[in-house]
Amino acid sequence: MNHQRSAPVTATVVARATPEGEGGLAVVRISGPEAMSIARRVFLGPGFGPAAPLPPTPRRAVYGILHAPVDLQDIEEQALDIIDEALALPMPGPHSYTGEDTVEFFCHGGRQVAAAVVRACQAAGAVAAPPGEFTRRAFLNGRLTLDQAEAVADLITAGSEQAARAAVAQLRGGLDAELGAVEWPLLDLLVRLEGALEFSDDDGVSVPVAEVRLTLAEAIAGIDRLLALAPAGRLLREGIHIALAGAPNAGKSSLFNRLVGDDRALVDAEPGTTRDVVAASVRRGGRLYVLHDTAGLRDEAGRVESMGIARARETAAGADLVLLLAEAGQAWPSLALPAVGAPPVLRVATKGDLDGAAAGSRCAGASRGGDGAAGGATAPHSTCAGASASAPMASAPMASAPIITSAVTGAGLDTLWAAIEHQVETWNLDEAVSLGVVLNERHRQRLLEGRDELSQLVALYDDGADPGEEVAGTLLAATLARLGEISGRVFSEQLLDGVFRRFCVGK
Amino acid sequence: MTTGNGSTTTATPLARSAWDVVVVGGGHAGLEAALAAARLGARCALVTHAISEIGRMPCNPAIGGLGKGHLVREIDVLGGQMGQAIDQTGIQFRMLNTKKGPAVQSPRAQADKHDYQRYMREVVLAQPGLDVIEGDVVDILADMLVGDGGGVDRLNCGDAIQPVGGTHHPQVCRRVRGVLLADGRDIKGAAVVLSSGTFLRGLMHVGARQTIGGREGAASAEGLSESLRKLGLQLRRLKTGTPPRLWRDSIDYTQLQPQPGDAEPKPFSLRTAVFAPVQVECHQVWTNAATHAVIRANLSRSPLYGGIIEGQGPRYCPSIEDKVVRFADKERHLLFLEPEGRDDPEVYVNGLSTSLPDDVQEAIVHALPGLGHARLARYGYAVEYDSIPSWQISGALEAQPVAGLYLAGQVLGTSGYEEAAAQGLVAGVNAVRGLAGDAPLALPRDTSYLGVLVDDLVTKDITEPYRMFTSRAEHRLHLRCDNAEERLGSLALELGLLDARGRAVLQARTAYAEGLAALLAAAAVRPATGGAVVHASQYMLYPGVDLEGALAAAVAHDPAAADRLSALRGALAVAAPAPPGRAGAEAQVENGLKYGGYIAKQARLLAQRGTLEECAMPDDLDYNSMSALSFEAREKLSRVRPATLGQAGRIDGVRAGDLAVLTVFLRRHRGRAVETGGDDEGQV
């Protein structure tokens, strides 16, 4: 390849940019210093092809023929080995996603055509792009900051409209702005502390401890506001996971199918039909929900079924929300949720169309999980007057009546969705979207570490042990370094490692 | 060798025909460089325009200060002269920042500047292997190195020659071979240390009056700037200033607030054996509305504000006119009246640096309390001079385009005697090591202010005179005045500048400090506040418990501890009867324990952040070909050529994103952890 001295030190790469599988259209992207010349060897159309008198017009799609590569010098002798009819979109650098010369081919969908186009480009000198390569190049060419690159990854994998909107807001600098609001007062304080150290002998300057404490408290509060959005970040990225749990034959699978709108789970009158967890996703109100149907909870089960029950409990404990199901009039089964960090639980009385429905109205209720002292979300074998008898946490926001549903008639489903959405609203998803703050685990860790540094400093003042400006300044500098890593303003090697891993091929 | 008094009209015969190291300039940088080189066994020549001027204090008559005191302690441990000189000639000793934590406390002393100068001159003249030559250096002599060009055009070699491979740098243009004096003598030297202070095209300003010279009463070195430019070095104009001096007998001290020295003065040097200074007082005076009014009314007559001075002055030590303009909301500024010597009739007005015209300076002074009838002995002035922007040096302080040419002190854009002396020591040592083919002194940022200084010089684009601050040291909780021996002791022993007695004292102090730390870690005590028995080292972390308290508690709990303690102290007293040994070592142990948690935490943080400091940058990286780097980063990296990724990150203008880019390139360079297959054919 002809590397020019000023060209990026990279090969030209190619990959399919749309997902594998069948579809109407597939996009193949080439990026790198040789993108244009490779495109000319595999595409014949206005501005392309060996004989094209002029280069193609930037950012204008042209129609033409994709073919196996030809030799640019010796076109007359070669018959074209045609692959497809396609559009080509040339984007000379730096005005492209990667910042390099880029050409995108829009060809017919399906596995074979796109694969053939990629092979043709490879034969013409391009190298297969590993996952994340296009975004890595965008970063290396200064087109994206690190957290913007992460937002791109979020955008690609966004499972819902809301997640996509949040990722775009972050891409546009939402997180940076919110972090800045925390960082700037700390930086200002740091400058004043250092000044007090360097000029103290001149005129006895010092920063009043009350001011230091106030700034620290505000910064901690600011970090806490961001941390409160951390669950929202995960929910936006991964969807809201809802586990359906309950006694065997309580109608979990029927309700599951009804909520999913599809006969995904096997339904049978025989208890224990569902032995594994079945999951399906539902998009509703711009949000992505992932529903998990689980095995019924009972004591006398076979070995295989027991394993299913164990997995059901695990799934419930790891979910964002649990729907605890019981046939109207029946007792609530034990979920045995962990004492700490258990998801909230909504109680759903099923088979509301059957005779026991009236009784169910006495039994069902919603309670929060994590009531570990009582042995689970609800006491085992509690009477059907459950809601009050099982004494859910007094502060539970949804200690309301159980929701009576019927998978057969569809009755109560709207009420159930309303209750779910009511719960979801407490998780600040909308705020995260509007601020453009979609935190991932890396962000959350740095925030926690930064908060930790500040809290230690506060603790010193609380203990009456003035740490002195020299220690306060040192701890503040450490905090700012932690926070700076989130946006990549402060660099560390481990920062880089995580960022480009999450990309799929073609981005 | 001449011993005359500034006469350079007649050329005197030279002691020998060639030296290993030739040092240009007898100021605080030059004399440390010359002493270090000679003490390492090199044949060294110190060229100065006047032997009588060696070790002169042209500005404030003091050594030390915040950050600067740290440097003096480090210079001393490594075997430099500055600490001993001030201990012998100081007339007032104060520990600064005593209201702040011990890490940021720093010693400062007023010197009798005549005694100081005399002391230094005598040490230099008595140093075996060191010849002193009077003369004005007008040219740096260097041989062109002819190479194939190597295709790297980052170096400007001055004349149209191509760079070739050098000892410390991948590409150099020339190798130094000596200096030329104004009288035509050619001083041959295999290495040259240039420490010419403010003398490069020095231009003094008082009001509209300009005088050519590096400082009052001294000529400027005019030819040298051109010589450096021809060698391919860029120059930059800087400015500094000095305040007026008053006749002591014209000051009404009854109206001024005296500022005495510390009741228990502490010496700077580990090696000072006899220390009983008779201290004098300084005095404080505040500027007032009348002073500020005079200054404001005459700003147009200031060369600074009238646009005459083009050089950039320091933000940290601004002239009084700068202070009044920039801090307009401050009603007063603190000034110190400092005697220039025990019997010197002149008094230095610290804080009143100015280049306003004579009559304005008098009006300012007369508006101050107690100075209504003060007579000015000398007027303040600003001096502009050429400096060599320090990105043109390596961490060895060697000029990149000229092998064997080392730079130190104000010529590199720093300010202050202490900063100059520190560089002089490093340059002198590296000049000798370079000749022997040894690697330059390794001075990481986490073990010394010297390391911070050298690293900052290499990485920072210094546009104003650089002075040391504790906030420049990110490891400042560890870099304390009390533990310079702990941080640099083993390097000092390896380096070999200390004489036999110095080594013995250092080793005795180290053994005492280690013994004390071990004793505290092992001894059990019952806290006075009650509670379970804890180790003395833990007990010391209790609020209000100091080292003496912890030791007393340990002795009370276990009589054996008393025996161990007296054995330790006995051993120290025999090996090092000097006063600083014990007190300094005890402060080191105490503060090391008290800051221990933070220091360990900082170390963990840095370790977590990766191995940037250990990640070496290959010499042949072509930054200009990395289009992913910002334009500014490409330019800065090309000219600085950082030794490690950590250093790259500290270069002004290199952002975190650039570092990420460099890391990716380095990984590809090393061919490890490459996620991108088949992508390595670039020219990195």
Side-chain angles (χ1 to χ4, degrees):
Chain A
M1 261 179 288
N2 301 323
H3 278 292
Q4 291 168 351
R5 227 177 161 64
S6 60
V9 192
T10 50
T12 300
V13 290
V14 62
R16 181 178 173 147
T18 44
E20 290 292 324
E22 291 177 20
L25 207 59
V27 178
V28 173
R29 177 188 270 164
I30 321 173
S31 178
E34 304 298 322
M36 292 298 169
S37 66
I38 290 169
R40 283 177 65 203
R41 290 184 58 196
V42 300
F43 185 77
L44 187 60
F48 289 91
L54 291 171
T57 311
R59 293 176 299 284
R60 177 165 299 175
V62 293
Y63 170 81
I65 289 166
L66 273 167
H67 53 78
V70 293
D71 191 330
L72 290 179
Q73 310 307 323
D74 196 17
I75 180 64
E76 299 300 328
E77 303 302 314
Q78 303 168 64
L80 290 183
D81 179 3
I82 295 174
I83 299 169
D84 195 9
E85 293 177 8
L87 290 178
L89 178 59
M91 291 172 280
H95 303 292
S96 68
Y97 177 72
T98 56
E100 303 169 333
D101 286 354
T102 300
V103 179
E104 288 176 1
F105 295 121
F106 297 75
C107 56
H108 287 106
R111 292 175 199 283
Q112 302 311 322
V113 176
V117 176
V118 169
R119 276 198 304 275
C121 292
Q122 285 179 278
V127 173
E133 181 63 14
F134 292 111
T135 302
R136 183 202 303 269
R137 287 173 179 225
F139 166 71
L140 284 178
N141 290 321
R143 303 282 296 168
L144 295 173
T145 64
L146 277 180
D147 63 326
Q148 283 175 331
E150 288 175 311
V152 169
D154 288 347
L155 191 54
I156 296 162
T157 54
S160 68
E161 183 197 334
Q162 198 173 27
R165 277 194 289 131
V168 168
Q170 178 148 331
L171 187 58
R172 296 173 64 88
L175 177 56
D176 276 0
E178 292 303 311
L179 265 178
V182 174
E183 289 170 319
W184 280 109
L186 290 178
L187 195 60
D188 183 62
L189 177 64
L190 178 61
V191 168
R192 295 177 56 211
L193 288 170
E194 297 294 334
L197 287 175
E198 303 299 358
F199 299 103
S200 68
D201 269 41
D202 284 0
D203 26 20
V205 199
S206 66
V207 185
V209 168
E211 273 182 45
V212 178
R213 298 191 58 155
L214 182 66
T215 307
L216 294 178
E218 284 172 357
I220 290 175
I223 291 178
D224 283 343
R225 276 195 297 279
L226 286 174
L227 280 172
L229 297 174
R234 188 180 56 76
L235 295 173
L236 282 167
R237 251 196 318 278
E238 297 171 10
I240 300 152
H241 289 257
I242 301 178
L244 278 69
N249 225 5
K252 295 177 296 298
S253 298
S254 299
L255 184 64
F256 176 87
N257 286 339
R258 191 79 202 200
L259 291 172
V260 173
D262 189 8
D263 282 347
R264 288 289 301 277
L266 268 176
V267 183
D268 199 281
E270 183 174 327
T273 305
T274 305
R275 289 183 178 175
D276 208 343
V277 178
V278 178
S281 51
V282 181
R283 283 175 188 77
R284 193 181 159 90
R287 292 183 180 133
L288 174 69
Y289 296 90
V290 183
L291 271 55
H292 301 262
D293 186 19
T294 64
L297 308 166
R298 60 172 174 177
D299 295 334
E300 55 288 319
R303 201 177 69 86
V304 176
E305 198 188 334
S306 296
M307 286 165 65
I309 291 171
R311 288 203 56 188
R313 291 208 160 96
E314 241 172 68
T315 304
D320 301 307
L321 178 66
V322 177
L323 302 185
L324 185 64
L325 275 60
E327 196 172 329
Q330 301 295 313
W332 302 107
S334 167
L335 265 177
L337 289 175
V340 180
V345 177
L346 280 178
R347 293 202 230 182
V348 182
T350 56
K351 307 185 187 178
D353 52 306
L354 298 184
D355 290 345
S361 66
R362 295 199 312 275
C363 299
S367 78
R368 287 192 74 87
D371 193 0
T378 56
H381 312 300
S382 66
T383 67
C384 61
S388 52
S390 65
M393 280 168 20
S395 60
M398 295 190 304
S400 53
I403 299 147
I404 302 158
T405 60
S406 165
V408 177
T409 66
L413 286 181
D414 287 346
T415 317
L416 176 58
W417 274 118
I420 291 170
E421 279 159 15
H422 181 72
Q423 174 61 50
V424 170
E425 269 161 30
T426 66
W427 291 330
N428 304 322
L429 268 66
D430 296 339
E431 192 189 350
V433 172
S434 66
L435 291 176
V437 177
V438 189
L439 299 177
N440 61 27
E441 189 53 24
R442 182 179 77 79
H443 301 144
R444 199 177 73 89
Q445 281 306 326
R446 294 294 97 78
L447 283 172
L448 283 173
E449 286 162 2
R451 190 190 192 286
D452 200 40
E453 302 281 349
L454 295 178
S455 304
Q456 283 187 17
L457 196 47
V458 169
L460 286 173
Y461 288 111
D462 283 346
D463 294 348
D466 183 346
E469 279 118 344
E470 81 279 18
V471 171
T474 304
L475 290 180
L476 267 189
T479 306
L480 286 166
R482 287 293 154 122
L483 298 180
E485 282 187 20
I486 293 175
S487 60
R489 262 195 297 282
V490 174
F491 175 77
S492 72
E493 267 185 302
Q494 70 182 40
L495 167 70
L496 200 65
D497 289 338
V499 173
F500 293 105
R501 288 232 173 101
R502 307 191 292 125
F503 289 92
C504 51
V505 174
K507 194 65 196 181
Chain B
M1 182 163 80
T2 66
T3 50
N5 207 355
S7 163
T8 56
T9 47
T10 50
T12 40
L14 296 172
R16 56 174 78 239
S17 59
W19 286 265
D20 297 321
V21 178
V22 173
V23 176
V24 180
H28 303 278
L31 67 87
E32 291 287 0
L35 288 172
R39 285 168 183 169
L40 289 179
R43 293 164 305 164
C44 182
L46 173 66
V47 185
T48 170
H49 65 272
I51 287 174
S52 60
E53 294 285 284
I54 290 173
R56 191 177 145 175
M57 296 180 145
C59 199
N60 63 330
I63 294 290
L66 299 178
K68 293 163 172 274
H70 289 80
L71 284 172
V72 182
R73 291 280 293 120
E74 292 176 1
I75 291 167
D76 181 66
V77 171
L78 289 179
Q81 200 63 41
M82 184 172 253
Q84 285 176 289
I86 186 61
D87 284 349
Q88 296 312 314
T89 63
I91 54 175
Q92 189 200 67
F93 291 79
R94 284 178 63 220
M95 186 61 80
L96 304 186
N97 251 357
T98 47
K99 291 186 192 118
K100 314 285 180 186
V104 290
Q105 291 176 15
S106 204
R108 183 180 188 276
Q110 294 297 136
D112 181 309
K113 69 173 194 177
H114 308 287
D115 285 353
Y116 190 92
Q117 199 171 334
R118 191 177 309 118
Y119 174 96
M120 279 302 197
R121 186 173 63 237
E122 283 168 6
V123 168
V124 166
L125 292 175
Q127 176 63 47
L130 173 58
D131 297 323
V132 181
I133 298 168
E134 278 194 338
D136 288 327
V137 174
V138 292
D139 203 3
I140 307 279
L141 305 173
D143 294 323
M144 285 188 200
L145 297 172
V146 182
D148 62 0
V152 174
D153 56 2
R154 70 183 173 81
L155 277 178
N156 167 20
C157 286
D159 299 344
I161 62 165
Q162 294 291 332
V164 297
T167 323
H168 289 166
H169 302 297
Q171 268 86 28
V172 295
C173 307
R174 292 177 168 82
R175 165 156 282 288
V176 80
R177 68 175 153 83
V179 298
L180 181 69
L181 304 188
D183 58 22
R185 284 180 296 171
D186 174 356
I187 312 290
K188 292 188 183 65
V192 169
V193 176
L194 180 66
S195 46
S196 51
T198 59
F199 281 80
L200 294 181
R201 288 208 304 130
L203 184 64
M204 291 178 290
H205 299 260
V206 181
R209 189 176 75 234
Q210 294 170 26
T211 321
I212 290 175
R215 64 173 178 245
E216 196 171 37
S220 146
E222 290 296 306
L224 213 42
S225 285
E226 197 42 44
S227 164
L228 291 166
R229 211 173 262 124
K230 278 189 189 149
L231 293 174
L233 289 162
Q234 291 180 30
L235 302 179
R236 173 184 278 157
R237 216 71 180 133
L238 288 179
K239 176 228 133 182
T240 186
T242 191
R245 270 63 155 190
L246 310 178
W247 292 116
R248 184 187 286 195
D249 60 8
S250 67
I251 297 169
D252 179 3
Y253 282 105
T254 60
Q255 293 192 47
L256 301 175
Q257 189 190 337
Q259 186 192 43
D262 288 344
E264 290 176 37
K266 292 196 180 67
F268 284 78
S269 176
L270 168 73
R271 290 165 281 160
T272 292
V274 180
F275 185 71
V278 178
Q279 300 196 77
V280 302
E281 285 179 343
C282 292
H283 290 80
Q284 296 183 353
V285 57
W286 292 92
T287 61
N288 52 36
T291 347
H292 292 200
V294 172
I295 292 164
R296 286 206 184 88
N298 288 283
L299 274 181
S300 62
R301 298 176 64 197
S302 153
L304 203 59
Y305 287 92
I308 298 173
I309 291 182
E310 49 187 76
Q312 179 71 44
R315 262 176 306 177
Y316 317 114
C317 176
S319 62
I320 190 69
E321 49 265 42
D322 254 357
K323 288 187 202 170
V324 168
V325 171
R326 292 219 313 256
F327 308 106
D329 55 328
K330 279 195 84 173
E331 288 166 10
R332 56 180 206 167
H333 297 279
L334 184 58
L335 308 174
F336 295 92
L337 298 183
E338 302 172 349
E340 297 227 317
R342 196 178 296 285
D343 302 313
D344 194 294
E346 293 186 17
V347 171
Y348 179 92
V349 191
N350 193 344
L352 200 66
S353 169
T354 181
S355 54
L356 284 162
D358 302 356
D359 59 308
V360 182
Q361 295 193 22
E362 299 209 13
I364 293 170
V365 168
H366 291 154
L368 293 166
L371 303 180
H373 302 287
R375 285 172 289 114
L376 275 73
R378 286 186 282 154
Y379 294 102
Y381 58 86
V383 58
E384 275 189 284
Y385 55 98
D386 283 345
S387 72
I388 300 166
S390 57
W391 48 260
Q392 299 172 97
I393 57 163
S394 69
L397 299 185
E398 189 182 20
Q400 286 195 11
V402 189
L405 175 62
Y406 296 81
L407 305 168
Q410 259 172 315
V411 74
L412 270 183
T414 61
S415 151
Y417 310 144
E418 303 80 2
E419 288 84 349
Q423 293 165 67
L425 179 77
V426 173
V429 167
N430 284 338
V432 176
R433 292 173 83 111
L435 293 178
D438 294 336
L441 263 188
L443 293 167
R445 291 180 72 92
D446 60 354
T447 54
S448 68
Y449 275 83
L450 280 174
V452 172
L453 172 64
V454 171
D455 187 64
D456 278 355
L457 284 176
V458 171
T459 58
K460 300 264 174 282
D461 196 8
I462 293 167
T463 56
E464 61 183 330
Y466 174 104
R467 68 152 284 182
M468 186 48 73
F469 286 112
T470 62
S471 51
R472 295 197 193 272
E474 63 275 34
H475 300 277
R476 69 170 166 218
L477 300 183
H478 179 52
L479 307 190
R480 304 186 308 274
C481 280
D482 61 57
N483 69 348
E485 288 85 354
E486 180 187 20
R487 294 183 279 117
L488 296 172
S490 49
L491 180 64
L493 294 173
E494 182 193 317
L495 180 58
L497 275 182
L498 290 170
D499 60 13
R501 194 184 70 85
R503 281 198 301 277
V505 173
L506 174 60
Q507 282 163 332
R509 186 195 192 274
T510 304
Y512 177 61
E514 285 171 358
L516 209 53
L519 174 63
L520 288 166
V525 300
R526 188 171 296 283
T529 48
V533 170
V534 295
H535 283 129
S537 53
Q538 290 169 282
Y539 183 50
M540 265 193 56
L541 301 179
Y542 286 36
V545 177
D546 60 8
L547 183 96
E548 281 307 316
L551 286 174
V555 168
H557 189 82
D558 178 7
D563 297 340
R564 288 191 57 196
L565 185 59
S566 64
L568 281 172
R569 288 185 169 162
L572 179 72
V574 170
R582 200 181 116 180
E586 287 174 354
Q588 168 186 320
V589 172
E590 176 166 356
N591 296 326
L593 277 169
K594 298 236 169 190
Y595 281 121
Y598 300 113
I599 294 167
K601 181 178 164 152
Q602 232 177 346
R604 273 200 308 278
L605 260 175
L606 286 166
Q608 275 174 25
R609 222 185 276 171
T611 50
L612 304 189
E613 292 303 329
E614 279 84 55
C615 184
M617 304 290 283
D619 272 339
D620 55 347
L621 277 189
D622 182 2
Y623 297 103
N624 281 317
S625 73
M626 301 183 190
S627 65
L629 294 172
S630 70
F631 181 77
E632 190 185 4
R634 264 182 271 169
E635 192 185 62
K636 296 280 176 71
L637 288 163
S638 296
R639 64 188 203 186
V640 171
R641 305 210 63 83
T644 66
L645 196 56
Q647 195 171 56
R650 288 189 295 273
I651 297 173
D652 284 343
V654 175
R655 294 162 305 136
D658 296 317
L659 271 194
V661 171
L662 284 177
T663 308
V664 173
F665 274 103
L666 284 178
R667 286 182 184 177
R668 290 182 178 179
H669 192 85
R670 287 191 221 116
R672 69 167 167 85
V674 185
E675 289 168 57
T676 338
D679 201 341
D680 276 339
E681 45 203 323
Q683 55 279 69
V684 272

